[in-house]
Each structure stands twice: as structure tokens, then as C-alpha cells.
Amino acid sequence: MKAWMGTGHDANRTNGRKMKTEKTTTRREFLGGVAAFGALGLTGCANLPGAGATGSPGRLPERGEVLIRNAYVMTMDPSVGDLPDADVHIRNGAIVAVGRNIQASGAQVIEGRGMIVLPGFIETHWHMWNTLLRSMSGDKREHGYFPTAAALGKIYLPEDMYQGTRLSAVEALNGGITFVHDWCHNIRGPEFADANLRALKDAGIRGRFSYGAPQAHPAVETIDLADFERKQSDWRSYSNEGLLSLGLAWRGAFDDPKTMVPNDAARREFAAARKLGLPISVHVSNARVRAGQIAVLAKEKFLGEDVQCIHAIWVTPEEIRALASAGTPVSFSPYTELRIGFGFPQTGEFLAGGVTVGLSVDTTALSGNADMFAIMKVIQNIENSRSENEFKLPARRVLELATIEGARSMGVEDRVGSLKAGKRADLIMVNTHEVNLGVFSEPAHMLVEAAQPSNVDTVMVDGRILKRRGKLTAIDVEQTVSEASSALAAVRKRGGWW
Ligand SMILES: [Zn+2]
């Protein structure tokens, strides 16, 4: 385990006790149970996550013992590859075995015929509070993404943070994303961070929460370092049994593109995170006028395995070499980079240079949705088009970026990102019987080119089944959307934003 991952990861020590109450269940009983649970989901909202909007704790499904049988299993472990007609055995939130003809007499059986089973997608940079502002980047300069996020972010209340983040997390899970990097750049007080963390916890998703400055914060002032440190020392109460970890959403010193050198406030923030052993993430070189920022970070010794660089569109070959030699991963969010006009991610150059690449949503205020299938597809298409080469970025390589490479970029590849005995059970099942996926041809290509969030049949995070037969099991979608809509209406009213 990397030194900077030394916080909050105690998932392996939890929930051993639950096994004792597990009973042998036939497939018929199990499916009946799921149906009953689904019905409860529609009517019994009082105890559901989401009812927790004002602070009451949510309820997530138990981690049980499950055997997924007869599926097409893409392990994303290069030493194993794909296993047609294979099983995955899960117990207490961990993968026990992956292979053929696994015997697990006490396990609940999920029939996987016609399904592709693969690791849940790893999302690597997302301003989740922004989802309340979905598709609100307008058509005039004053209504563009940055002024809109700044104007409305300033009048957010903690409850709005909760609603935006929960809506994001629910959308993520529904589309097969099991890990998110919540890049929270609107912490206007400790309770704003608490609200985001509560939303992530209520949804049951895995992720990193990166603590950032509020919108329109003066560049010369640091984040609330005392609260940041307090979060770290109290992390056990936020981590949701190790599913969530903490990092720094670092502004660098790039508010003024001419001032490439991090100022004192930025240096203090960086030093605080390093001292706490927490990972750091920063937006760099997202526009032509911001070219050269990576060279500055390299020169000032602000790179490392614990530093993630986001966008990195306008880069030189020397800068790519600097990232590779420092072990600094990058995150590309093609839909926002294209939509706002940052430019084209240079995926091929980074991969050839040995840089770890992850894929990201960034903000649905620009991208509209959080569809990782579409993100994979556009990353491939941009790269093949740029290089005028049909074969430049193979589908399987793209799938690696969305799973195991994404996990590596977030420092969690020892726990998730591939299906392997001993790893935590974060996986999805994609139904290939849907009309846009029939017929079964080449699975990696099908996932990158043809699949959509609606094809995600089952989602498991840390052994908990959060989506089954195309329906979220523990979250009331209607309630989530309706509460978020009310929150947005109030934000717009307060901001006079019509
Ligand atoms: Zn961003």
C-alpha cells in the first residue's frame, strides 16, 4: 500500500460478523427476495437513503454470499483475460474466486447467462455538486460553465451539495460506475464537505473525496486547513467502512494563467496534504493559454505518484516525460474538454509515454450525463481520428482505462479495477440480450461501441447489490430526482437565475 493511501481503507476488516446469519438460499428464493426488496423500494421510502437528506442515516443492502454463474467474465486482469461461461464467487464484500464450475453451496445464485461481468467503472474526476446544475452551461459568455458554477455555487447551502452529489452518485451507480473521485470545489464551510460525504455514504458508492476551495475563493487564501486536518483525523467516521478516502482538490496557482508559479497559499495547501499523507489532484494545461503548467509543476517539484493532473491537453513531449518519470497519473474528461473547447486529449501520446490514464465525467453542467460507455467510445474515436488510424486505440485498451488503469490512477488497484480473488467485490453485469447489444460478437467492442447505461443489469459495490435486473435496489430514483429538482428551483430563485 502506498504511503499516501494510508487513510480510511479499513474495508477488509469489516462485516465478517454478517456471514454467521447467512442462510442457504435457492435461486428461486433469492429472486423472490430481490423482487420483494424491489417492491419495498417503491413504497418503503422512509428508511431509504435519500430519506437521509436532512440527516437520518440511510440503509444499504447487506453484504451476502453470492455466486454469479455462467457469465462471460472479463476479469481485466491481463494474466487471466476473459473467461466465457464462468462464475464469480463473492462473500463478505470480497471476491473469493473467479473461474469455471465454482462450488458454493450456501451462496445466493445469480444466473449470468447472456451477461458480461466486468469490474465496475472507475471515474477519476467529477465535481459532483454540479449535477444540480446539469446542462446549465448556457450559450452566452455570461452563462458559460465557469460563471454559472461560480454564481450559483456561491449561494449553495449544504443541502444543495447533498442533493447534487447524491444525484451524481445515483446516476453513477445506475450506469455501472462504482468508484468516483468527488472533486469538491465548493466547500463553503465544514458542513458543506459533510453534506457531500453523507451523500456518497448514503449511495453506498466507493470513491475519493477531494477537499477543495469554495467557488470564487480568493487565490491568496488557503482552504480551511484546520477543517481539512480535522476531516483526516476523524476520517473513520466519514469513510463508510473504508469505501471512501480523502484527498486534496488543489487549485495550484492557476486562476491567473500568467502566474504559473504556485503562490504561498497553494504551497501551504500542498504541504498540508503531503504532511497528512493524502493524495493531491490539480487541473492543468486545459487551454492554450495555460500551456507550460506541467513544466512549472515539475520544476517546482510538485509532481509525484500522489499527484493527479487533470486535462493536460496542451502539453509538450518533455512534459509527458516528466509526468511519466514522476509517476503522476492524468485524468481525461473528453465530453467536457470537447464541449467547452479545451481541445483534444492526447491519449495515445500519454499511453506511449508510460503515463497512467484515467477517464472522467468532470461536470454534468457541461457533459449533460455521466455515461462511461460514451466516454470510452469518444476517447477511442478521438484518438483514432487524430491519428487517422482505425487501429490506434483498441477497444480493450479503452476498457482498461475505465477499469484497472483508472484504479491505478487513483491508487486503488490493490482493491478494485479487476476481478480477482482477494479484491473487493465491485462489479457490474451488462445484459447482452438488449436490442442495442444483440448479437453477441466481440465483447470489448460491444462494451465500448454499443453498450449504454440502460444495459447495466446488476451493480455490486463492496459485495452489496445496489442494482439488480435494471433497477436500483436501495435508492428511490423518483425521490432523488424530485428532491434535487426542488433544491435547484430554490437555488435559482435565491440567485435570481431565470
Ligand atoms: Zn474539473
Side-chain angles (χ1 to χ4, degrees):
M1 185 175 286
K2 297 180 176 86
W4 53 274
M5 293 309 300
T7 179
H9 298 291
D10 53 357
N12 291 326
R13 283 186 270 119
T14 60
N15 287 289
R17 67 194 179 279
K18 291 198 175 121
M19 268 314 290
K20 292 199 181 71
T21 57
E22 195 68 36
K23 72 177 180 80
T24 303
T25 311
T26 65
R27 177 167 170 256
R28 186 180 297 269
E29 281 170 343
F30 172 63
L31 295 176
V34 168
F37 192 79
L40 176 69
L42 290 173
T43 55
C45 298
N47 293 325
L48 293 174
T54 50
S56 62
R59 178 170 59 79
L60 292 171
E62 296 284 308
R63 298 176 180 86
E65 182 176 6
V66 173
L67 182 65
I68 301 170
R69 300 187 68 158
N70 309 314
Y72 186 94
V73 180
M74 303 182 79
T75 66
M76 301 315 293
D77 176 349
S79 65
V80 179
D82 292 1
L83 301 170
D85 206 19
D87 310 335
V88 183
H89 182 200
I90 298 117
R91 191 170 57 213
N92 288 341
I95 297 171
V96 180
V98 183
R100 295 205 175 85
N101 301 316
I102 294 172
Q103 300 300 314
S105 57
Q108 300 169 341
V109 172
I110 291 181
E111 179 56 46
R113 207 172 293 280
M115 300 281 174
I116 298 174
V117 174
L118 73 156
F121 295 128
I122 308 284
E123 194 288 329
T124 63
H125 135 250
W126 189 354
H127 312 294
M128 295 178 81
W129 65 273
N130 276 183
T131 297
L132 216 54
L133 313 178
R134 189 194 299 279
S135 297
M136 274 187 69
S137 303
D139 298 318
K140 293 182 184 156
R141 184 162 292 278
E142 62 270 30
H143 295 148
Y145 168 66
F146 289 108
T148 301
L152 296 181
K154 274 193 289 189
I155 55 166
Y156 257 54
L157 301 173
E159 173 66 11
D160 304 320
M161 300 295 283
Y162 177 89
Q163 293 296 342
T165 304
R166 183 178 63 172
L167 184 58
S168 296
V170 172
E171 185 186 1
L173 291 170
N174 190 54
I177 295 171
T178 54
F179 180 103
V180 290
H181 180 196
D182 183 11
W183 216 98
C184 191
H185 58 356
N186 197 30
I187 300 179
R188 319 193 70 76
E191 63 281 18
F192 284 70
D194 293 352
N196 266 50
L197 286 161
R198 201 170 72 247
L200 296 172
K201 187 175 180 174
D202 285 354
I205 201 162
R206 191 184 301 277
R208 181 196 294 177
F209 172 80
S210 280
Y211 194 111
Q215 289 293 297
H217 196 56
V220 294
E221 286 177 26
T222 68
I223 58 168
D224 182 349
L225 288 172
D227 185 51
F228 181 50
E229 285 162 16
R230 206 157 45 233
K231 290 281 180 298
Q232 151 75 354
S233 58
D234 295 346
W235 193 248
R236 190 165 289 273
S237 65
Y238 294 103
S239 80
N240 198 17
E241 300 177 323
L243 264 71
L244 304 175
S245 63
L246 180 64
L248 171 67
W250 192 45
R251 284 169 297 165
F254 305 136
D255 286 7
D256 177 359
K258 292 184 217 81
T259 316
M260 295 285 197
V261 180
N263 63 18
D264 281 351
R267 285 171 198 277
R268 283 176 59 205
E269 289 179 356
F270 191 97
R274 275 261 164 102
K275 188 163 162 239
L276 296 171
L278 297 176
I280 297 156
S281 173
V282 61
H283 293 74
V284 293
S285 303
N286 55 4
R288 199 186 289 273
V289 291
R290 296 192 182 89
Q293 289 182 335
I294 294 170
V296 173
L297 289 179
K299 183 162 167 281
E300 300 268 333
K301 305 214 178 330
F302 284 114
L303 296 180
E305 279 185 33
D306 57 344
V307 180
Q308 176 201 48
C309 283
I310 296 163
H311 300 312
I313 300 284
W314 298 91
V315 296
T316 63
E318 293 71 35
E319 288 181 311
I320 292 176
R321 278 196 289 277
L323 292 171
S325 70
T328 297
V330 297
S331 174
F332 298 142
S333 56
Y335 275 111
T336 63
E337 289 155 358
L338 292 172
R339 166 70 169 76
I340 204 169
F342 284 163
F344 297 101
Q346 300 186 43
T347 314
E349 286 84 341
F350 281 87
L351 292 177
V355 177
T356 304
V357 172
L359 303 179
S360 58
V361 171
D362 191 357
T363 170
T364 58
L366 280 166
S367 71
N369 64 28
D371 178 348
M372 189 55 89
F373 296 102
I375 291 171
M376 292 195 291
K377 181 171 175 167
V378 79
I379 273 285
Q380 181 189 44
N381 290 357
I382 291 168
E383 188 56 26
N384 289 4
S385 191
R386 282 176 67 231
S387 58
E388 300 173 56
N389 178 356
E390 176 185 350
F391 310 104
K392 180 70 185 297
L393 190 54
R396 189 166 293 269
R397 189 75 180 110
V398 182
L399 210 48
E400 286 172 358
L401 303 187
T403 55
I404 187 63
E405 291 299 306
R408 190 164 287 130
S409 81
M410 298 309 296
V412 292
E413 77 277 16
D414 60 334
R415 257 155 290 141
V416 292
S418 63
L419 302 182
K420 198 175 177 180
K423 282 202 172 184
R424 302 306 293 169
D426 290 11
L427 58 82
I428 64 174
M429 295 171 66
V430 176
N431 185 355
T432 66
H433 289 159
E434 305 265 344
V435 68
N436 63 301
L437 279 178
V439 296
F440 196 100
S441 54
E442 166 45 50
H445 283 259
M446 288 164 71
L447 291 173
V448 171
E449 294 156 9
Q452 301 168 350
S454 62
N455 306 132
V456 177
D457 176 89
T458 298
V459 176
M460 183 183 281
V461 179
D462 212 50
R464 290 186 175 111
I465 297 173
L466 299 183
K467 189 179 185 186
R468 180 76 188 118
R469 297 189 178 280
K471 296 266 182 287
L472 294 170
T473 61
I475 289 165
D476 187 313
V477 172
E478 208 179 297
Q479 182 190 10
T480 301
V481 173
S482 131
E483 288 184 9
S485 303
S486 305
L488 172 61
V491 166
R492 288 178 83 137
K493 198 169 176 192
R494 284 202 304 278
W497 196 272
W498 298 100

